[in-house]
Coordinates of all heavy atoms in Angstrom, one line a residue:
E1411 N 0.8 -1.2 0.0 CA 0.0 0.0 0.0 C 0.9 1.3 0.0 O 0.5 2.2 -0.6 CB -0.9 0.0 1.2 CG -1.8 1.2 1.3 CD -2.7 1.2 2.5 OE1 -2.7 0.2 3.3 OE2 -3.4 2.2 2.7
Y1412 N 2.0 1.3 0.7 CA 2.8 2.5 0.9 C 4.1 2.4 0.0 O 4.9 3.3 0.0 CB 3.2 2.7 2.3 CG 2.0 2.9 3.2 CD1 1.6 1.9 4.1 CD2 1.3 4.1 3.2 CE1 0.5 2.1 4.9 CE2 0.2 4.3 3.9 CZ -0.2 3.3 4.8 OH -1.3 3.5 5.6
G1413 N 4.2 1.4 -0.8 CA 5.4 1.3 -1.7 C 6.6 0.8 -1.1 O 7.7 0.7 -1.8
M1414 N 6.6 0.5 0.2 CA 7.7 -0.1 0.9 C 7.3 -0.8 2.2 O 6.2 -0.4 2.7 CB 8.9 1.0 1.2 CG 8.4 2.1 2.1 SD 9.6 3.5 2.1 CE 11.1 2.9 2.3
P1415 N 8.0 -1.7 2.7 CA 7.5 -2.4 3.9 C 7.6 -1.5 5.1 O 8.4 -0.7 5.3 CB 8.5 -3.6 4.0 CG 9.7 -3.2 3.2 CD 9.3 -2.3 2.2
L1416 N 6.6 -1.7 6.0 CA 6.6 -1.0 7.2 C 7.1 -1.9 8.4 O 6.8 -3.1 8.4 CB 5.1 -0.6 7.6 CG 4.6 0.5 6.7 CD1 3.6 -0.1 5.6 CD2 3.8 1.5 7.5
C1417 N 7.9 -1.4 9.3 CA 8.4 -2.2 10.4 C 7.2 -2.5 11.4 O 6.2 -1.8 11.4 CB 9.5 -1.4 11.1 SG 9.1 0.2 11.8
E1418 N 7.4 -3.5 12.1 CA 6.4 -3.9 13.1 C 6.0 -2.8 14.1 O 4.8 -2.6 14.3 CB 6.9 -5.1 13.9 CG 5.9 -5.7 14.9 CD 4.8 -6.4 14.2 OE1 4.9 -6.9 13.0 OE2 3.7 -6.4 14.7
E1419 N 7.0 -2.0 14.5 CA 6.7 -0.9 15.4 C 5.7 0.1 14.8 O 4.8 0.6 15.5 CB 8.0 -0.2 15.9 CG 8.9 -1.1 16.6 CD 9.8 -2.0 15.7 OE1 9.7 -1.9 14.4 OE2 10.5 -2.9 16.2
L1420 N 5.9 0.5 13.6 CA 5.0 1.4 12.9 C 3.7 0.9 12.7 O 2.6 1.5 12.9 CB 5.7 1.9 11.6 CG 4.8 2.9 10.8 CD1 4.5 4.1 11.6 CD2 5.6 3.3 9.5
L1421 N 3.6 -0.4 12.3 CA 2.3 -1.1 12.1 C 1.5 -1.1 13.3 O 0.3 -0.8 13.4 CB 2.5 -2.5 11.6 CG 3.0 -2.7 10.2 CD1 3.4 -4.2 9.9 CD2 1.9 -2.3 9.2
V1422 N 2.1 -1.4 14.5 CA 1.4 -1.5 15.8 C 0.9 -0.1 16.2 O -0.2 0.1 16.5 CB 2.3 -2.0 16.9 CG1 1.8 -1.8 18.3 CG2 2.6 -3.5 16.7
L1423 N 1.8 0.9 16.0 CA 1.4 2.3 16.3 C 0.2 2.8 15.4 O -0.7 3.4 15.9 CB 2.6 3.3 16.3 CG 2.4 4.6 16.9 CD1 2.1 4.5 18.4 CD2 3.6 5.5 16.7
L1424 N 0.3 2.5 14.2 CA -0.8 2.9 13.2 C -2.1 2.2 13.6 O -3.2 2.8 13.6 CB -0.4 2.6 11.8 CG 0.6 3.5 11.2 CD1 1.1 2.9 9.8 CD2 0.1 4.9 10.9
D1425 N -2.0 1.0 14.1 CA -3.1 0.2 14.5 C -3.8 0.7 15.8 O -5.0 0.7 15.9 CB -2.7 -1.3 14.6 CG -3.9 -2.2 14.8 OD1 -4.9 -2.1 14.0 OD2 -3.9 -3.0 15.7
E1426 N -2.9 1.1 16.7 CA -3.4 1.5 18.0 C -3.7 3.0 18.1 O -4.4 3.4 19.1 CB -2.3 1.2 19.1 CG -2.1 -0.3 19.2 CD -1.1 -0.7 20.3 OE1 -0.5 0.2 20.9 OE2 -0.9 -1.9 20.5
D1427 N -3.3 3.8 17.2 CA -3.6 5.2 17.2 C -4.3 5.7 16.0 O -3.7 6.0 15.0 CB -2.3 6.0 17.4 CG -2.4 7.5 17.6 OD1 -3.5 8.0 17.4 OD2 -1.4 8.1 18.1
P1428 N -5.7 5.7 16.1 CA -6.5 6.0 14.9 C -6.2 7.5 14.4 O -6.3 7.7 13.2 CB -7.9 5.9 15.3 CG -7.9 5.6 16.8 CD -6.5 5.3 17.2
D1429 N -5.9 8.4 15.3 CA -5.6 9.7 14.9 C -4.3 9.8 14.0 O -4.2 10.5 13.0 CB -5.4 10.7 16.1 CG -6.7 10.9 16.8 OD1 -7.8 10.8 16.1 OD2 -6.7 11.2 18.0
F1430 N -3.3 9.1 14.5 CA -2.0 9.0 13.7 C -2.3 8.3 12.4 O -1.8 8.8 11.3 CB -1.0 8.2 14.6 CG 0.3 8.0 13.8 CD1 0.9 9.0 13.1 CD2 1.0 6.8 13.9 CE1 2.2 8.8 12.5 CE2 2.2 6.6 13.3 CZ 2.8 7.6 12.6
L1431 N -3.0 7.2 12.3 CA -3.3 6.6 11.1 C -4.0 7.5 10.1 O -3.7 7.7 9.0 CB -4.2 5.4 11.3 CG -4.7 4.6 10.0 CD1 -3.5 4.1 9.3 CD2 -5.6 3.5 10.4
S1432 N -5.0 8.3 10.6 CA -5.8 9.2 9.8 C -4.8 10.3 9.2 O -4.8 10.6 8.0 CB -6.9 9.9 10.6 OG -7.5 10.9 9.9
Q1433 N -4.0 10.9 10.1 CA -3.1 11.9 9.7 C -2.0 11.4 8.7 O -1.6 12.0 7.7 CB -2.4 12.6 10.9 CG -3.3 13.4 11.7 CD -2.7 13.8 13.0 OE1 -1.8 13.2 13.5 NE2 -3.3 14.9 13.5
F1434 N -1.5 10.2 8.9 CA -0.5 9.6 8.1 C -1.1 9.3 6.7 O -0.4 9.6 5.7 CB -0.1 8.2 8.7 CG 1.1 7.6 8.0 CD1 2.4 8.1 8.2 CD2 0.9 6.6 7.1 CE1 3.5 7.5 7.6 CE2 2.0 6.0 6.5 CZ 3.3 6.5 6.7
R1435 N -2.3 8.8 6.6 CA -2.9 8.6 5.3 C -3.2 9.8 4.5 O -3.3 9.8 3.3 CB -4.3 7.8 5.5 CG -4.0 6.3 5.8 CD -5.3 5.6 5.8 NE -5.0 4.1 5.8 CZ -5.9 3.2 6.3 NH1 -7.1 3.6 6.7 NH2 -5.6 2.0 6.3
K1436 N -3.4 11.0 5.2 CA -3.6 12.2 4.5 C -2.4 12.8 3.8 O -2.5 13.7 3.0 CB -4.3 13.3 5.4 CG -5.7 12.9 5.8 CD -6.3 13.9 6.8 CE -7.6 13.5 7.3 NZ -8.1 14.3 8.3
L1437 N -1.2 12.3 4.2 CA 0.0 12.8 3.7 C 0.2 12.3 2.2 O -0.4 11.3 1.9 CB 1.2 12.4 4.5 CG 1.3 12.9 5.9 CD1 2.4 12.2 6.7 CD2 1.5 14.4 6.0
T1438 N 1.0 13.0 1.4 CA 1.3 12.6 0.1 C 2.1 11.2 0.1 O 2.8 11.0 1.2 CB 2.1 13.6 -0.7 OG1 3.4 13.7 -0.1 CG2 1.4 14.9 -0.8
P1439 N 2.0 10.4 -0.9 CA 2.7 9.2 -0.9 C 4.2 9.4 -0.7 O 4.9 8.6 0.0 CB 2.5 8.6 -2.3 CG 1.1 9.1 -2.6 CD 1.1 10.5 -2.0
G1440 N 4.8 10.4 -1.2 CA 6.2 10.7 -1.0 C 6.6 11.0 0.5 O 7.6 10.6 1.0
K1441 N 5.7 11.8 1.1 CA 5.9 12.1 2.5 C 5.7 10.8 3.4 O 6.5 10.6 4.3 CB 5.0 13.2 3.0 CG 5.4 14.6 2.4 CD 4.5 15.7 2.9 CE 5.0 17.0 2.3 NZ 4.0 18.1 2.7
Q1442 N 4.8 10.0 3.0 CA 4.6 8.7 3.8 C 5.8 7.9 3.6 O 6.3 7.4 4.6 CB 3.4 8.0 3.2 CG 2.1 8.6 3.5 CD 0.9 7.9 2.8 OE1 1.2 6.9 2.0 NE2 -0.3 8.2 3.1
R1443 N 6.4 7.8 2.4 CA 7.6 7.0 2.2 C 8.8 7.6 3.0 O 9.6 6.8 3.6 CB 7.9 6.9 0.7 CG 7.1 5.9 0.0 CD 7.6 5.6 -1.4 NE 7.7 6.7 -2.3 CZ 6.7 7.2 -3.0 NH1 5.5 6.7 -3.0 NH2 6.9 8.3 -3.7
N1444 N 8.9 8.9 3.0 CA 10.0 9.5 3.8 C 9.9 9.1 5.3 O 10.9 8.8 5.9 CB 9.9 11.1 3.7 CG 10.7 11.6 2.5 OD1 11.7 11.1 2.1 ND2 10.2 12.7 1.9
L1445 N 8.7 9.2 5.8 CA 8.5 8.9 7.2 C 8.7 7.4 7.5 O 9.3 7.1 8.5 CB 7.0 9.3 7.7 CG 6.8 10.8 7.7 CD1 5.3 11.0 8.2 CD2 7.8 11.5 8.7
I1446 N 8.3 6.6 6.6 CA 8.5 5.1 6.7 C 10.0 4.9 6.7 O 10.6 4.1 7.6 CB 7.8 4.3 5.6 CG1 6.3 4.4 5.8 CG2 8.3 2.9 5.6 CD1 5.5 3.9 4.5
Y1447 N 10.7 5.5 5.8 CA 12.2 5.4 5.8 C 12.8 5.8 7.1 O 13.7 5.1 7.7 CB 12.8 6.2 4.6 CG 14.3 6.1 4.6 CD1 15.0 5.0 4.0 CD2 15.1 7.2 5.0 CE1 16.3 4.9 4.0 CE2 16.4 7.1 5.0 CZ 17.1 6.0 4.5 OH 18.4 5.9 4.5
I1448 N 12.4 7.0 7.6 CA 13.0 7.5 8.8 C 12.7 6.6 10.0 O 13.6 6.3 10.8 CB 12.4 8.9 9.1 CG1 12.9 9.9 8.2 CG2 12.7 9.3 10.6 CD1 12.2 11.3 8.2
I1449 N 11.5 6.0 10.1 CA 11.1 5.1 11.2 C 11.8 3.7 11.0 O 12.2 3.2 12.0 CB 9.6 4.9 11.2 CG1 9.0 6.3 11.6 CG2 9.2 3.9 12.2 CD1 7.5 6.4 11.5
N1450 N 12.0 3.2 9.8 CA 12.6 1.9 9.6 C 14.1 1.9 9.8 O 14.7 0.9 10.0 CB 12.3 1.4 8.2 CG 10.9 0.9 7.9 OD1 10.1 0.7 8.9 ND2 10.6 0.7 6.7
K1451 N 14.7 3.1 9.7 CA 16.2 3.2 9.7 C 16.9 2.7 11.0 O 17.9 2.0 10.8 CB 16.6 4.7 9.4 CG 18.0 4.8 9.0 CD 18.3 6.2 8.6 CE 19.8 6.4 8.2 NZ 20.1 7.7 7.9
P1452 N 16.4 3.0 12.2 CA 17.2 2.5 13.3 C 17.3 1.0 13.4 O 16.3 0.3 13.0 CB 16.4 3.1 14.5 CG 15.7 4.2 14.0 CD 15.3 3.9 12.6
K1453 N 18.4 0.5 13.9 CA 18.6 -1.0 14.0 C 17.8 -1.6 15.1 O 17.3 -2.7 14.9 CB 20.0 -1.3 14.1 CG 21.0 -0.8 13.0 CD 21.1 -1.9 12.0 CE 22.1 -1.5 10.9 NZ 21.6 -0.9 9.8
S1454 N 17.6 -0.9 16.2 CA 17.0 -1.5 17.3 C 15.4 -1.2 17.3 O 15.0 -0.2 16.9 CB 17.6 -1.0 18.7 OG 17.1 0.2 19.0
S1455 N 14.7 -2.2 17.8 CA 13.3 -2.1 17.9 C 12.8 -0.9 18.7 O 11.9 -0.2 18.4 CB 12.6 -3.4 18.4 OG 11.3 -3.3 18.6
E1456 N 13.5 -0.7 19.9 CA 13.2 0.3 20.8 C 13.4 1.7 20.1 O 12.5 2.6 20.3 CB 14.1 0.3 22.0 CG 13.8 1.3 23.1 CD 14.8 1.4 24.2 OE1 15.4 0.3 24.5 OE2 14.9 2.4 24.8
L1457 N 14.4 1.9 19.4 CA 14.6 3.2 18.7 C 13.6 3.4 17.6 O 13.2 4.5 17.4 CB 16.1 3.2 18.1 CG 17.1 3.9 18.9 CD1 18.5 3.8 18.2 CD2 16.8 5.3 19.2
R1458 N 13.2 2.3 16.9 CA 12.2 2.4 15.9 C 10.9 2.9 16.5 O 10.2 3.7 16.0 CB 12.0 1.1 15.1 CG 13.1 0.9 14.1 CD 12.8 -0.3 13.1 NE 12.6 -1.5 13.8 CZ 13.5 -2.4 14.1 NH1 14.8 -2.3 13.7 NH2 13.1 -3.6 14.7
L1459 N 10.6 2.3 17.6 CA 9.3 2.6 18.3 C 9.4 4.1 18.8 O 8.4 4.8 18.6 CB 9.1 1.7 19.5 CG 7.8 1.9 20.3 CD1 6.6 1.8 19.4 CD2 7.7 1.0 21.5
R1460 N 10.5 4.5 19.4 CA 10.6 5.9 19.8 C 10.5 6.9 18.7 O 9.9 7.9 18.8 CB 11.9 6.1 20.6 CG 11.8 5.5 22.0 CD 12.9 6.1 22.9 NE 14.2 6.0 22.4 CZ 15.3 5.9 23.1 NH1 15.3 5.9 24.4 NH2 16.5 5.8 22.5
T1461 N 11.1 6.5 17.5 CA 11.0 7.3 16.3 C 9.6 7.4 15.8 O 9.1 8.5 15.5 CB 12.0 6.8 15.3 OG1 13.3 6.7 15.8 CG2 11.9 7.7 14.0
A1462 N 8.9 6.3 15.8 CA 7.5 6.3 15.4 C 6.6 7.1 16.3 O 5.8 7.9 15.8 CB 7.0 4.8 15.3
I1463 N 6.8 7.0 17.6 CA 6.1 7.9 18.5 C 6.4 9.3 18.4 O 5.5 10.1 18.4 CB 6.4 7.4 20.0 CG1 5.7 6.0 20.2 CG2 5.8 8.4 21.0 CD1 6.2 5.3 21.5
A1464 N 7.6 9.7 18.1 CA 8.0 11.0 17.9 C 7.3 11.6 16.6 O 6.8 12.7 16.6 CB 9.5 11.2 17.8
V1465 N 7.3 10.8 15.6 CA 6.6 11.2 14.3 C 5.1 11.4 14.6 O 4.5 12.4 14.1 CB 6.8 10.1 13.2 CG1 5.9 10.4 12.0 CG2 8.3 10.2 12.7
A1466 N 4.5 10.5 15.3 CA 3.0 10.6 15.6 C 2.8 11.9 16.4 O 1.8 12.6 16.2 CB 2.6 9.4 16.4
G1467 N 3.7 12.1 17.4 CA 3.5 13.3 18.2 C 3.7 14.6 17.4 O 3.0 15.6 17.6
H1468 N 4.6 14.6 16.5 CA 4.9 15.7 15.6 C 3.6 16.0 14.7 O 3.2 17.2 14.7 CB 6.1 15.5 14.7 CG 6.3 16.5 13.6 ND1 6.9 17.7 13.9 CD2 6.0 16.6 12.3 CE1 6.9 18.5 12.8 NE2 6.4 17.8 11.8
L1469 N 3.1 15.0 14.2 CA 1.9 15.2 13.3 C 0.7 15.7 14.2 O -0.1 16.6 13.8 CB 1.5 13.9 12.6 CG 2.4 13.5 11.4 CD1 2.0 12.2 10.9 CD2 2.4 14.5 10.3
A1470 N 0.5 15.1 15.4 CA -0.6 15.6 16.3 C -0.4 17.0 16.7 O -1.3 17.8 16.6 CB -0.6 14.7 17.5
A1471 N 0.9 17.4 17.0 CA 1.1 18.8 17.4 C 1.0 19.8 16.3 O 0.7 21.0 16.6 CB 2.5 18.9 18.0
N1472 N 1.1 19.4 15.1 CA 1.1 20.3 13.9 C -0.2 20.0 13.1 O -0.2 20.4 11.9 CB 2.3 20.1 13.1 CG 3.6 20.6 13.8 OD1 3.7 21.8 14.1 ND2 4.4 19.6 14.2
K1473 N -1.2 19.5 13.7 CA -2.5 19.3 13.0 C -2.4 18.5 11.7 O -2.9 18.9 10.7 CB -3.2 20.6 12.8 CG -3.5 21.3 14.1 CD -4.2 22.6 13.9 CE -4.6 23.3 15.2 NZ -3.4 23.9 15.9
G1474 N -1.5 17.5 11.7 CA -1.3 16.7 10.5 C -0.3 17.2 9.5 O -0.1 16.6 8.5
K1475 N 0.2 18.4 9.7 CA 1.2 19.0 8.8 C 2.6 18.5 9.1 O 2.9 18.3 10.3 CB 1.2 20.5 8.9 CG -0.2 21.1 8.5 CD -0.3 21.3 7.1 CE -1.5 22.1 6.7 NZ -2.7 21.3 6.2
L1476 N 3.4 18.3 8.1 CA 4.7 17.7 8.2 C 5.7 18.8 8.0 O 5.7 19.4 6.9 CB 4.9 16.6 7.3 CG 6.2 15.7 7.4 CD1 6.2 15.2 8.8 CD2 6.1 14.6 6.4
D1477 N 6.6 19.1 9.0 CA 7.7 20.1 8.8 C 8.9 19.3 9.2 O 9.2 19.0 10.3 CB 7.4 21.2 9.8 CG 8.6 22.3 9.8 OD1 9.7 21.9 9.5 OD2 8.3 23.4 10.0
F1478 N 9.7 19.0 8.1 CA 10.8 18.1 8.3 C 11.9 18.7 9.2 O 12.6 18.0 10.0 CB 11.5 17.6 7.0 CG 10.7 16.5 6.3 CD1 9.9 16.8 5.2 CD2 10.8 15.2 6.8 CE1 9.2 15.7 4.6 CE2 10.1 14.2 6.2 CZ 9.3 14.5 5.1
K1479 N 12.0 20.0 9.1 CA 13.0 20.7 10.0 C 12.6 20.5 11.5 O 13.4 20.2 12.4 CB 13.2 22.2 9.7 CG 14.3 22.9 10.4 CD 14.5 24.3 9.9 CE 15.6 24.9 10.5 NZ 15.8 26.3 10.2
M1480 N 11.3 20.8 11.8 CA 10.9 20.6 13.2 C 10.9 19.1 13.6 O 11.3 18.8 14.8 CB 9.5 21.1 13.3 CG 9.3 22.7 13.4 SD 7.6 23.2 13.4 CE 6.9 22.4 14.8
L1481 N 10.6 18.3 12.7 CA 10.6 16.8 13.0 C 12.0 16.4 13.3 O 12.3 15.6 14.3 CB 10.0 16.0 11.8 CG 10.1 14.5 12.0 CD1 9.3 14.0 13.3 CD2 9.5 13.8 10.8
N1482 N 13.0 16.9 12.5 CA 14.4 16.5 12.8 C 14.8 16.9 14.1 O 15.5 16.2 14.8 CB 15.2 17.1 11.7 CG 16.5 16.4 11.5 OD1 16.6 15.2 11.7 ND2 17.5 17.1 11.0
E1483 N 14.4 18.1 14.6 CA 14.8 18.6 15.9 C 14.1 17.7 17.0 O 14.8 17.4 18.0 CB 14.3 20.0 16.1 CG 15.1 21.1 15.3 CD 16.6 21.0 15.6 OE1 17.0 21.0 16.8 OE2 17.4 21.0 14.6
A1484 N 12.9 17.3 16.8 CA 12.2 16.4 17.7 C 12.9 15.1 17.8 O 13.0 14.5 18.9 CB 10.7 16.3 17.3
L1485 N 13.3 14.6 16.6 CA 14.0 13.3 16.6 C 15.3 13.3 17.3 O 15.8 12.3 17.9 CB 14.1 12.8 15.2 CG 12.8 12.4 14.5 CD1 13.1 12.1 13.0 CD2 12.1 11.3 15.2
K1486 N 16.0 14.5 17.2 CA 17.3 14.6 17.9 C 17.2 14.5 19.4 O 18.0 14.1 20.1 CB 18.0 15.9 17.5 CG 18.6 15.9 16.1 CD 19.2 17.2 15.9 CE 19.7 17.3 14.4 NZ 20.2 18.7 14.1
S1487 N 16.0 15.0 19.9 CA 15.8 15.1 21.4 C 15.1 13.9 21.9 O 14.8 13.8 23.1 CB 15.1 16.4 21.7 OG 13.8 16.3 21.2
K1488 N 14.8 12.9 21.1 CA 14.0 11.7 21.6 C 14.9 10.8 22.4 O 16.1 10.7 22.4 CB 13.4 11.0 20.5 CG 14.3 10.2 19.6 CD 13.6 9.4 18.6 CE 14.4 8.9 17.5 NZ 15.7 8.3 17.8

């Protein structure tokens, strides 16, 4: 559906957080792929989960809008 595989942590978070799922689906396919790549990148499951939670929080705080500069700052402080 998204053009690339989603890690288990992202799948669980999308399943458990309907607001995040709704906001994620409203993003363009390119932005979805960028976020999937960012979330899939860490080697450890714990880091992938923390990254996914940070992305969900960023979208919630910005009413579904994606600002990569702000997201990058949020990811650095996670």
Side-chain angles (χ1 to χ4, degrees):
E1411 181 181 356
Y1412 297 108
M1414 60 194 313
L1416 289 101
C1417 63
E1418 185 66 28
E1419 298 79 9
L1420 179 55
L1421 286 171
V1422 168
L1423 194 59
L1424 288 168
D1425 189 49
E1426 292 181 358
D1427 187 342
D1429 290 335
F1430 178 41
L1431 177 60
S1432 171
Q1433 291 171 335
F1434 188 80
R1435 283 191 169 153
K1436 288 177 185 172
L1437 296 171
T1438 64
K1441 288 180 179 176
Q1442 290 175 354
R1443 283 191 301 274
N1444 271 328
L1445 291 179
I1446 293 167
Y1447 176 78
I1448 289 167
I1449 294 167
N1450 283 351
K1451 195 173 180 186
K1453 299 268 187 263
S1454 79
S1455 175
E1456 181 187 335
L1457 265 178
R1458 285 192 301 269
L1459 181 59
R1460 284 199 306 207
T1461 303
I1463 290 169
V1465 167
H1468 172 79
L1469 287 175
N1472 293 291
K1473 299 179 179 73
K1475 299 277 188 257
L1476 190 56
D1477 179 327
F1478 281 106
K1479 188 173 181 184
M1480 283 175 55
L1481 176 60
N1482 205 26
E1483 290 303 312
L1485 292 174
K1486 283 181 188 173
S1487 64
K1488 68 173 169 50

